[in-house]
Amino acid sequence: MENSYSESYKAAGVDITAGYRAVELMKQHVERTRNAGVLDSIGGFGGLYALPQTGGSQPVLVSGTDGVGTKLQIALLMDKHDTIGIDCVAMCVNDIICTGARPLFFLDYLAMGKVVPEKVAQIVAGIAEGCVQSGCALVGGETAEHPGVMPEDDYDLAGFSVGLVDKSQIIDKSRVAPGDVLIGIASSGVHSNGFSLTRKVFDVTKEKLNTHCAELGKTLGEELLVPTRIYVRSILKLVSEVDVHSVGHITGGGFFENIPRALSNGNGAVIEKKKLAISPIFELIAKTGNIPERDMFNTYNMGVGMCVTVAASEADKAVRILNEAGETATVIGEVKAGVEGVELV
């Protein structure tokens, strides 16, 4: 890369040497995610990954893609970029794990107004941490410089992951039945959804984000930048020991959109609000913005990042396994026939 330099391109706003420097700085983070399936290092035209044997007869690839959304604006105002990559990975792998698939690898796409190698390295450090937490490899990505299209300090981040599951082991919600129980697994906070409403409610500025908030025991910015929890290892542990009927990732659309996606036709969910440990941040959002309860449950995870459905006879075992795996899990409701969508009681 030593001879690759264009004065004309730099004059147009793109410094390709900064891109090369960014790649060098990120390599140490990428190496943390390397596993047995990785066949090359970053820098080629495509990431090579050898599929492991599933032990079954019909291996199925499961893919997921997502971004971080306007949570990025909090990172920009705080000038803190080393955790937002965890969110990006989480939003992809937490979707994949709902099918029972184990994430294999991840790729990112980072668009920036101006490539600052040190900032890129911070972002990729977070991506690598997310990959380590979920047991998948960071096999490549793309960093693009967009002068004249994005402000120099601005960037956007998206990702893509692929997982593997044997066809016979796919969790597809078809066996969800009335009488099944719903187990809520605690979130780490707002995760990566609802930030357009959150930013409007708090009218966020750098000063407000850096102000200590008594209700939270930290600054508002610190709370909002808490990374999305990654549930891959605990869900894989659960499905290896319990017959799981469905798994739902509670993201944008909250309870009312996402729980029905994990239920079979003709069935709804009755959720007992008293069994929910609603995080202080959601109480603060509702109070500050005068947000109605239904809108809160239709926008945020309300303290539940994942919802698992099992037979009632398996509930105690499932809760114990999840808690032993480091989660905070509890029964929050049940599946009922004739209920439309989600009913809060």
Side-chain angles (χ1 to χ4, degrees):
M1 301 295 186
E2 293 181 1
N3 294 324
S4 181
Y5 175 78
S6 171
E7 190 65 41
S8 298
Y9 209 6
K10 185 175 182 180
V14 178
D15 184 356
I16 56 177
T17 59
Y20 301 148
R21 170 66 176 157
V23 171
E24 288 301 315
L25 291 177
M26 72 175 69
K27 281 184 176 179
Q28 61 176 315
H29 304 298
V30 175
E31 281 300 310
R32 293 183 59 214
T33 75
R34 191 178 183 91
N35 58 36
V38 179
L39 299 183
D40 64 349
S41 59
I42 61 169
F45 290 101
L48 301 177
Y49 195 93
L51 289 179
Q53 298 298 313
T54 63
S57 58
Q58 291 184 280
V60 175
L61 293 176
V62 181
S63 58
T65 186
D66 208 339
V68 182
T70 61
K71 184 173 184 173
L72 283 170
Q73 294 302 308
I74 308 300
L76 287 164
L77 286 169
M78 297 285 289
D79 194 24
K80 179 173 170 53
H81 310 285
D82 58 349
T83 60
I84 203 75
I86 300 175
D87 293 286
C88 190
V89 175
M91 297 306 292
C92 297
V93 299
N94 282 345
D95 278 352
I96 287 174
I97 198 61
C98 291
T99 67
R102 176 167 61 90
L104 299 176
F105 58 83
F106 183 87
L107 293 95
D108 67 274
Y109 176 76
L110 176 60
M112 312 186 78
K114 180 178 178 60
V115 169
V116 179
E118 291 75 17
K119 182 185 287 188
V120 174
Q122 290 180 44
I123 296 166
V124 174
I127 295 170
E129 176 59 27
C131 288
V132 169
Q133 290 184 21
S134 57
C136 68
L138 178 56
V139 297
E142 170 69 11
T143 301
E145 197 165 28
H146 291 171
V149 176
M150 304 173 71
E152 285 193 357
D153 291 338
D154 201 7
Y155 65 90
D156 196 13
L157 179 64
F160 172 85
S161 189
V162 172
L164 184 70
V165 63
D166 193 76
K167 188 174 182 180
S168 65
Q169 302 299 315
I170 293 174
I171 302 170
D172 65 0
K173 75 180 181 182
S174 63
R175 293 181 300 113
V176 174
D180 284 356
V181 300
L182 294 125
I183 298 171
I185 310 176
S187 69
S188 55
V190 183
H191 282 185
S192 300
N193 304 105
F195 271 85
S196 293
L197 177 57
T198 302
R199 290 185 301 110
K200 180 181 179 182
V201 164
F202 293 119
D203 188 22
V204 294
T205 62
K206 186 173 182 177
E207 181 180 3
K208 289 181 180 179
L209 291 172
N210 284 296
T211 301
H212 183 82
C213 183
E215 295 96 327
L216 303 174
K218 61 183 76 170
T219 69
L220 178 62
E222 287 171 336
E223 174 64 34
L224 295 180
L225 278 188
V226 171
T228 304
R229 188 164 181 84
I230 292 176
Y231 301 94
V232 170
R233 296 183 189 274
S234 53
I235 296 295
L236 287 176
K237 174 68 173 174
L238 180 67
V239 300
S240 72
E241 300 185 39
V242 172
D243 183 15
V244 175
H245 292 177
S246 73
V247 182
H249 184 198
I250 312 303
T251 57
F255 279 41
F256 290 107
E257 180 176 328
N258 293 289
I259 291 178
R261 294 170 65 187
L263 300 176
S264 52
N265 291 336
N267 292 310
V270 177
I271 304 294
E272 296 183 58
K273 290 185 290 184
K274 65 181 180 181
K275 293 187 176 180
L276 301 175
I278 297 176
S279 310
I281 182 60
F282 300 117
E283 297 173 348
L284 184 61
I285 291 170
K287 181 179 71 173
T288 304
N290 193 27
I291 308 298
E293 179 182 80
R294 182 177 177 85
D295 286 356
M296 290 296 297
F297 277 91
N298 209 161
T299 304
Y300 300 104
N301 66 62
M302 300 302 286
V304 177
M306 280 280 187
C307 188
V308 176
T309 306
V310 300
S313 60
E314 296 265 61
D316 289 344
K317 181 180 179 181
V319 169
R320 175 179 56 79
I321 290 170
L322 288 166
N323 288 335
E324 288 177 350
E327 304 296 348
T328 300
T330 186
V331 173
I332 61 172
E334 66 175 315
V335 177
K336 284 193 176 181
V339 173
E340 184 176 346
V342 174
E343 181 179 321
L344 300 173
V345 297

